[in-house]
Amino acid sequence: MHDLITPQAILANLKAGSKKQALQDMARRAAELTGQHERAVFDVLLERERLGTTGVGHGIAIPHGKLPGLERVHGVFARLERPIDFDAIDEQPVDLIFLLLAPEHAGADHLKALARVSRLLRDQGMCEKLRGSDSADAIYALLTQQETSHAA
């Protein structure tokens, strides 16, 4: 995960009242981190949501998209202050969002990143810890700890 996310890419207590607002706030942070235009990031995320929700269930959403001009896959993680309706497949509100942006021609890298994030967030214990953390540093440590322990 170290290659996907930085401590600056964590929004620990995002106050969003809607899916659109959450995506806008996350697009703003992604734009700051990647040098892309906020509107371009937001549009790519909205376009993907139109194809089908990225609310994968159990309070989790993994919005993603591809943008020209990116050198690598970037992640932004948000823990919402209050769960919001995200049109999730299980119709449950979402409070953990992991946004992924990939280069336009990323192909397998994009899919591998999605699979890694999905695997991480399928771990219910991990999600409980993330929900119980309200600092960006604690969340970053949780998101990146497993790789460290698996590598050892």
Side-chain angles (χ1 to χ4, degrees), residues 6-131:
T6 64
Q8 297 75 32
I10 309 277
L11 300 164
N13 292 296
L14 186 61
K15 293 174 178 68
S18 68
K19 176 179 183 174
K20 183 178 179 190
Q21 188 184 357
L23 290 174
Q24 280 175 320
D25 292 345
M26 293 184 79
R28 185 174 309 118
R29 179 62 57 94
E32 291 166 9
L33 296 169
T34 62
Q36 298 290 314
H37 281 97
E38 182 182 328
R39 185 77 216 181
V41 174
F42 182 64
D43 286 347
V44 116
L45 296 172
L46 272 190
E47 192 60 40
R48 174 59 190 82
E49 290 300 322
R50 280 189 204 108
L51 297 174
T53 184
T54 57
V56 295
H58 304 289
I60 296 158
I62 310 175
H64 55 277
K66 293 183 179 181
L67 276 174
L70 289 181
E71 298 294 314
R72 63 176 183 83
V73 179
H74 290 268
V76 176
F77 180 85
R79 178 189 156 279
L80 302 186
E81 201 170 70
R82 271 192 301 285
I84 57 170
D85 179 20
F86 211 91
D87 306 314
I89 55 174
D90 63 358
E91 298 179 3
Q92 294 300 308
V94 161
D95 63 345
L96 299 176
I97 305 175
F98 202 123
L99 180 154
L100 284 170
L101 292 173
E104 200 169 28
H105 306 292
D109 288 344
H110 178 65
L111 296 175
K112 281 185 200 154
L114 268 172
R116 280 168 52 202
V117 169
S118 176
R119 229 181 352 263
L120 179 75
L121 296 178
R122 259 200 311 261
D123 178 341
Q124 288 183 320
M126 170 61 77
C127 289
E128 290 310 310
K129 289 178 191 166
L130 290 168
R131 288 183 172 109

